[in-house]
């Protein structure tokens, strides 16, 4: 194998490892065993693990740039079709950009950030040409929603023919970027939560208030710091320092740093479960969408930390929380089946996961949470994805 080929092989193998395990859980020895070489052999190509991470992300961006080589001469849906194909073949890329890029030192991070910024600027221009009536902020919101749809294969693996997956993902991304907020059925556009959902919301708020004020301060401050710096870079002393507390006094409220993550995520998943269980009838899809959006808008830091830091949950707790979220996704899928019985189970899951990804990303990225109507916009964006049709565009 040539030196260039070996470098790419190592970078792509590292991308898969970093995607599944996280940067801090992967060693050079692990990677060497995966590829079938010795650890010293890796150092002939990469000086350290950061160099490997930078190369892993760069190989993914290479494929995005190839997909967009003719961006200026093809239609916007066709561009999304090509990006959808890349998102499926390089499922690791979005997670590496969202979660792992921050682990690079500034010198290695800067050129990757610049490359990605150029890609986003080109996409922004292409979307502006396709939707010239959108103002700049709404354009940014729509592009973020489309990219969130394309990121969903990074989070969920589905056993589905690649072409079918590509066409449906492209259709969902196109709907998120271009649909004129017509996704929510007129009969439920002014939906109000059921009595059960109101009770669940009240119980959620009481669970927050029942914590001691100092515990709640610690929880909120830890989420802020995890969001700003990353879980691995924050210590209990850092959390205490921001609150003017001595590190040891934190142990009265939380025994470990992981307990802070566990408490926050458990609280949120319990609310989602309570908001649509025990009523005797399957939950309405619009009620599920509304509940998820309302929780996301209310707990945007929590959503952001979950996307970036769920990999750091203790294994047993992580499985329990993922199982709870899987039950919520299944509830969405079952409710969507009543609205769109023509869809297969896999098609429903693609759309449900893409719609939830839109909520996850919009509430945590940028300044969109400051928009006056962001909750209503998010519900409409989610519905536009759930109502999307496969888009058979030329790849």
């Amino acid at each position: 194998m040539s030196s260039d080929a070996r470098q790419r092989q190592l970078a792509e193998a590292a991308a898969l490892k970093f995607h599944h395990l996280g940067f801090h859980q992967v060693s050079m020895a692990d990677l060497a065993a995966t590829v079938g070489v010795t650890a010293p052999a890796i150092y002939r190509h990469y000086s350290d693990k950061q160099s490997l991470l930078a190369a892993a992300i760069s190989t993914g961006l290479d494929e995005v740039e190839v997909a967009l080589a003719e961006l200026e001469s093809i239609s916007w849906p066709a561009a999304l079709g090509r990006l959808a194909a890349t998102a499926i073949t390089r499922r690791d890329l979005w997670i590496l950009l969202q979660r792992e890029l921050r682990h690079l030192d500034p010198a290695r991070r800067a050129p990757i950030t610049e490359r990605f910024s150029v890609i986003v600027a080109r996409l922004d221009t292409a979307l502006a040409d396709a939707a010239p009536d959108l103002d700049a902020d709404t354009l940014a919101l729509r592009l973020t929603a489309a990219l969130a749809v394309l990121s969903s294969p990074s989070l969920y693996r589905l056993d589905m023919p690649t072409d079918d997956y590509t066409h449906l993902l492209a259709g969902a991304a196109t709907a998120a970027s271009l649909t004129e907020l017509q996704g929510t059925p007129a009969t439920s556009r002014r939906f109000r939560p059921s009595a059960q959902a109101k009770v669940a919301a009240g119980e959620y708020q009481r669970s927050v208030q029942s914590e001691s004020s100092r515990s709640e301060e610690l929880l909120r401050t830890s989420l802020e710091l995890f969001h700003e710096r990353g879980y691995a870079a924050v210590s209990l002393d850092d959390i205490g320092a921001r609150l003017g507390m001595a590190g040891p006094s934190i142990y009265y409220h939380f025994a470990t740093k992981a307990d802070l993550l566990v408490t926050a995520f458990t609280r949120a998943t319990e609310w989602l479960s309570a908001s649509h269980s025990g009523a005797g009838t399957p939950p309405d899809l619009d009620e599920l969408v509304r509940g998820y959006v309302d929780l996301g808008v209310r707990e945007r830091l929590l959503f952001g930390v979950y996307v970036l830091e769920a990999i750091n949950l203790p294994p047993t707790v992580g499985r329990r929380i993922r199982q709870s979220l899987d039950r919520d996704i299944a509830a969405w899928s079952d409710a969507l089946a009543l609205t769109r019985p023509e869809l297969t189970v896999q098609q429903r899951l693609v759309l449900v996961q893409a719609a939830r990804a839109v909520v996850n990303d919009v509430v945590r990225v940028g300044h969109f949470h400051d928009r006056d109507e962001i909750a209503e916009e998010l519900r409409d964006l989610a519905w536009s994805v759930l109502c999307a049709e496969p888009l058979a565009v030329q790849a």
Side-chain angles (χ1 to χ4, degrees):
M1 185 177 290
S2 69
S3 178
D4 288 347
R6 177 66 79 187
Q7 283 185 333
R8 189 167 190 87
Q9 179 198 35
L10 290 168
E12 292 179 352
L16 293 175
K17 284 286 190 181
F18 294 143
H19 179 203
H20 293 302
L21 301 176
F23 178 74
H24 294 292
Q25 300 303 316
V26 177
S27 70
M28 298 293 258
D30 293 333
L31 182 59
T34 298
V35 178
V37 300
T38 64
I42 295 181
Y43 288 105
R44 289 201 291 270
H45 302 280
Y46 295 101
S47 60
D48 54 25
K49 196 164 68 167
Q50 285 214 6
S51 297
L52 258 175
L53 175 58
I57 298 174
S58 294
T59 60
L61 292 179
D62 290 344
E63 296 189 30
V64 172
E65 289 170 346
V66 169
L68 296 179
E70 301 173 355
L71 177 61
E72 288 72 23
S73 60
I74 60 177
S75 69
W76 174 247
L80 291 178
R82 296 183 182 190
L83 284 176
T86 303
I88 292 167
T89 58
R90 284 299 302 261
R91 295 172 187 263
D92 56 272
L93 177 59
W94 295 106
I95 286 293
L96 296 186
L97 285 167
Q98 292 176 340
R99 190 184 69 202
E100 308 300 342
L101 177 63
R102 60 199 169 138
H103 299 311
L104 293 178
D105 60 48
R108 290 183 172 100
R109 187 167 62 244
I112 294 175
T113 301
E114 176 61 25
R115 283 183 72 185
F116 187 66
S117 297
V118 169
I119 290 170
V120 171
R122 292 180 66 203
L123 291 171
D124 187 76
T125 299
L127 178 55
D129 291 339
D133 295 333
L134 295 180
D135 63 84
D137 200 47
T138 302
L139 195 73
L141 172 65
R142 291 309 191 101
L143 181 56
T144 298
L147 292 177
V149 169
L150 296 173
S151 77
S152 58
S154 282
L155 300 171
Y156 309 99
R157 177 170 290 279
L158 292 172
D159 184 14
M160 187 176 184
T162 300
D163 286 348
D164 294 346
Y165 198 169
T166 299
H167 294 159
L168 189 53
L169 198 67
T174 300
S177 59
L178 295 179
T179 302
E180 292 298 326
L181 302 183
Q182 298 297 318
T184 308
T187 55
S188 60
R189 192 70 174 271
R190 296 303 171 193
F191 171 84
R192 290 295 177 265
S194 66
Q196 181 188 358
K198 290 180 180 179
V199 169
E203 289 175 350
Y204 176 88
Q205 292 298 338
R206 284 192 292 276
S207 73
V208 171
Q209 295 164 2
S210 67
E211 297 281 344
S212 72
S213 59
R214 182 57 93 183
S215 293
E216 195 58 34
E217 271 189 302
L218 283 167
L219 194 60
R220 181 59 51 181
T221 301
S222 69
L223 289 175
E224 291 173 356
L225 287 171
F226 295 158
H227 194 266
E228 291 171 13
R229 305 180 192 173
Y231 177 83
V234 175
S235 67
L236 287 176
D237 286 338
D238 294 329
I239 298 167
R242 179 165 287 193
L243 288 172
M245 294 175 62
S249 62
I250 297 177
Y251 296 114
Y252 174 78
H253 304 276
F254 298 97
T256 67
K257 186 171 67 167
D259 286 344
L260 291 158
L261 279 182
V262 171
T263 300
F265 293 158
T266 299
R267 178 188 291 173
T269 54
E270 287 175 350
W271 183 87
L272 284 175
S273 178
S275 68
H276 56 75
S277 62
T281 58
D284 176 81
L285 183 57
D286 197 61
E287 181 175 351
L288 292 169
V289 171
R290 183 175 292 272
Y292 195 75
V293 167
D294 288 350
L295 181 64
V297 171
R298 184 170 65 237
E299 298 289 341
R300 60 176 297 268
L301 285 179
L302 177 60
F303 271 49
V305 171
Y306 181 79
V307 169
L308 300 177
E309 307 297 351
I311 199 169
N312 291 304
L313 284 167
T316 301
V317 177
R319 283 192 296 272
R320 188 186 75 227
I321 289 174
R322 284 191 296 274
Q323 288 168 355
S324 179
L325 291 175
D326 286 344
R327 287 192 293 271
D328 195 54
I329 289 171
W332 281 51
S333 178
D334 291 344
L336 181 58
L338 300 177
T339 302
R340 303 190 62 186
E342 78 281 5
L343 297 178
T344 67
V345 172
Q346 294 300 312
Q347 287 173 323
R348 295 200 307 268
L349 288 173
V350 169
L351 296 178
V352 166
Q353 291 160 353
R356 290 164 69 98
V358 170
V359 179
N360 295 348
D361 278 8
V362 168
V363 298
R364 72 181 186 83
V365 173
H367 61 280
F368 301 121
H369 57 280
D370 291 330
R371 290 170 67 93
D372 292 338
E373 303 297 327
I374 189 58
E376 190 67 37
E377 289 174 320
L378 271 173
R379 289 190 285 271
D380 284 329
L381 285 169
W383 265 103
S384 72
V385 171
L386 293 169
C387 294
E389 298 287 348
L391 187 67
V393 295
Q394 184 66 37

